């Protein structure tokens, strides 16, 4: 499996020569209304201006024309304060996990001087308690960044506003305006969210897992999974998987022992490895979720060890993780399932 690029960090740096340009909307993914920009497939709209920031560009990050992975960029008149809105459809969306992985990515990118100075839940559009919001200071020694995360229907919304410390008021007003200006239609109603700290619950590796026959329903039910529900569940880190210089946390429900599903977020763009308990309770089924796709892999008699999981992630595993099914998710809700003959 290839590790996905951290899409959130693609827009974190502030170019010294940034200049606002005329708005440019990709008609395949977005529709420009009088004062808003709408992802047509999602039924989610954002304002064309936010505080002192104006829309400069919108489009798709990947899978051009699919409408699954959409962005809009904003900037102040002098280009010093910038913002990005991402509206994308991972096959497993969760605001709390997205917030957690972005927090980890920001600290890894900008170092120990970066401090999270606020972490709470606020409103998105007219919907109370639906956005997880974080504020960071000290990034690169002089930047302040705000981030917000909303899970709406099948979609995730990730907002980011960044500027120098002396422009903190512009950063704050930009985020306030983006959140207040969000609009939702149809099934894209935002879900309640909770901002929770993730504790540690270390558990030792078992003796190693072996592949077993999976007699469950394959891809059925793999897009409406009951955990962790946008922060509603208490989550803890049971262990860490090391792959080269990268480390990945193994998350599970607090106090559940081996009865919990185990999630391993692989990036801050919605790619998650999951080990879900088999219906009979005798093992785990492996699946990988990302934008527009769910891959169902082998089942195991117990949870694989951290070394076994590392081998699955880096692609060196040759005995266990065989892809069995792949489900392609379209922006209109259609799901196409295909059987796989290889990894």
């Amino acid at each position: 499996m290839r590790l996905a690029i951290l899409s959130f960090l693609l827009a974190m740096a502030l170019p010294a020569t940034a200049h606002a340009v005329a708005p440019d909307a990709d008609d395949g993914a977005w529709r420009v209304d009088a004062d808003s920009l709408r992802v047509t497939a999602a039924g989610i709209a954002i304002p064309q201006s936010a505080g002192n920031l104006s829309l400069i560009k919108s489009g798709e990050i990947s899978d051009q024309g699919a409408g699954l992975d959409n962005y809009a960029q904003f900037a102040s008149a002098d280009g010093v304060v910038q913002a990005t809105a991402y509206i994308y459809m991972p096959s497993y969306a969760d605001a709390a996990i997205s917030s957690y992985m972005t927090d980890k990515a920001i600290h890894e990118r900008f170092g120990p001087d970066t401090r999270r100075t606020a972490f709470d839940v606020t409103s998105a559009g007219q919907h109370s308690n639906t956005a997880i919001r974080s504020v960071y200071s000290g990034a690169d020694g002089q930047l302040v960044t705000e981030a917000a995360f909303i899970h709406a229907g099948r979609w995730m919304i990730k907002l980011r506003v960044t500027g120098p410390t002396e422009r903190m008021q512009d950063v704050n007003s930009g985020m306030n305006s983006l959140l207040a200006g969000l609009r939702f239609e149809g099934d894209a109603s935002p879900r309640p969210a909770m901002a929770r700290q993730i504790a540690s619950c270390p558990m030792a590796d078992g003796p190693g897992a072996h592949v077993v026959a999976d007699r469950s329903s394959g891809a059925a039910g793999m897009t409406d999974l009951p955990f962790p529900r946008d922060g509603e569940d208490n989550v803890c880190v049971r262990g860490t998987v090391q792959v080269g210089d990268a480390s990945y946390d193994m998350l599970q429900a607090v106090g559940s022992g081996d009865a919990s599903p185990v999630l391993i977020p692989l990036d801050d763009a919605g790619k998650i490895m999951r080990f879900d308990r088999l219906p009979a309770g005798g093992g785990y089924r492996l699946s990988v979720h990302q934008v527009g796709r769910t891959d169902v892999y082998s089942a195991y008699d117990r949870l694989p060890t951290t070394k076994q999981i590392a081998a699955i992630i880096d692609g060196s595993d040759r005995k266990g993780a065989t892809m069995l099914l792949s489900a392609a998710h379209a922006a209109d809700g259609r799901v196409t399932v295909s059987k796989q003959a290889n990894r």
Side-chain angles (χ1 to χ4, degrees):
M1 300 176 186
R2 296 179 59 192
L3 303 184
I5 296 173
L6 298 177
S7 67
F8 181 83
L9 294 179
L10 295 178
M12 285 295 293
L14 289 175
T17 57
H19 299 282
V21 298
D24 175 22
D26 180 350
D27 292 336
W30 299 87
R31 185 180 78 234
V32 178
D33 294 330
D35 59 355
S36 66
L37 189 66
R38 184 178 307 274
V39 176
T40 53
I44 298 171
I46 57 175
Q48 289 198 47
S49 62
N52 294 327
L53 309 179
S54 299
L55 175 71
I56 58 173
K57 185 176 178 60
S58 66
E60 297 178 73
I61 297 172
S62 60
D63 296 328
Q64 300 297 309
L68 297 171
D69 199 4
N70 313 294
Y71 74 92
Q73 293 179 324
F74 301 79
S76 57
D78 58 7
V80 174
V81 180
Q82 297 188 349
T84 306
Y86 298 98
I87 302 176
Y88 60 105
M89 197 185 79
S91 64
Y92 182 77
D94 187 271
I97 297 301
S98 183
S99 170
Y100 177 73
M101 287 303 291
T102 297
D103 180 86
K104 182 178 178 182
I106 287 174
H107 282 96
E108 289 179 352
R109 167 65 177 83
F110 293 113
D113 291 336
T114 303
R115 302 178 305 280
R116 187 172 68 182
T117 57
F119 180 53
D120 55 19
V121 172
T122 187
S123 299
Q126 304 301 312
H127 302 265
S128 300
N129 301 319
T130 53
I132 298 175
R133 183 172 180 174
S134 301
V135 180
Y136 299 86
S137 64
D140 271 355
Q142 60 183 354
L143 299 178
V144 60
T145 289
E146 294 202 21
F149 310 87
I150 304 101
H151 180 190
R154 294 177 290 113
W155 298 82
M156 276 298 305
I157 304 166
K158 185 185 297 187
L159 307 175
R160 183 273 316 170
V161 187
T162 298
T165 302
E166 62 269 22
R167 299 284 288 273
M168 183 181 299
Q169 184 174 350
D170 289 340
V171 173
N172 183 255
S173 64
M175 179 60 76
N176 288 341
S177 296
L178 283 173
L179 284 169
L182 281 168
R183 294 294 180 264
F184 305 92
E185 299 175 349
D187 294 335
S189 179
R191 302 189 185 188
M194 296 182 68
R196 290 186 183 272
Q197 302 290 345
I198 294 183
S200 177
C201 54
M203 298 183 66
D205 276 341
H210 299 90
V211 174
V212 295
D214 182 0
R215 302 185 184 280
S216 59
S217 55
M222 296 305 289
T223 59
D224 190 21
L225 298 163
F227 170 83
R229 298 181 297 181
D230 302 300
E232 181 176 341
D233 299 287
N234 273 314
V235 178
C236 59
V237 180
R238 66 169 286 157
T240 301
V241 178
Q242 195 70 34
V243 183
D245 294 333
S247 62
Y248 304 94
D249 293 334
M250 300 173 65
L251 308 179
Q252 69 174 47
V254 170
S256 63
D258 286 331
S260 172
V262 174
L263 278 68
I264 307 171
L266 299 179
D267 62 25
D268 67 336
K271 190 170 186 179
I272 296 177
M273 175 183 286
R274 289 185 61 109
F275 289 92
D276 285 279
R277 295 306 301 262
L278 294 173
Y284 293 82
R285 174 174 52 191
L286 167 61
S287 60
V288 175
H289 303 256
Q290 54 192 307
V291 171
R293 179 170 168 175
T294 302
D295 296 327
V296 179
Y297 286 77
S298 311
Y300 296 86
D301 58 352
R302 58 177 57 87
L303 187 68
T305 66
T306 52
K307 287 186 177 180
Q308 286 179 309
I309 295 171
I312 297 171
I313 293 173
D314 69 17
S316 63
D317 173 62
R318 292 293 180 267
K319 296 181 179 179
T322 300
M323 188 191 300
L324 305 176
L325 298 171
S326 183
H329 304 266
D332 62 6
R334 290 176 298 160
V335 180
T336 303
V337 178
S338 58
K339 292 185 178 181
Q340 301 294 309
N342 51 25
R343 296 171 186 244

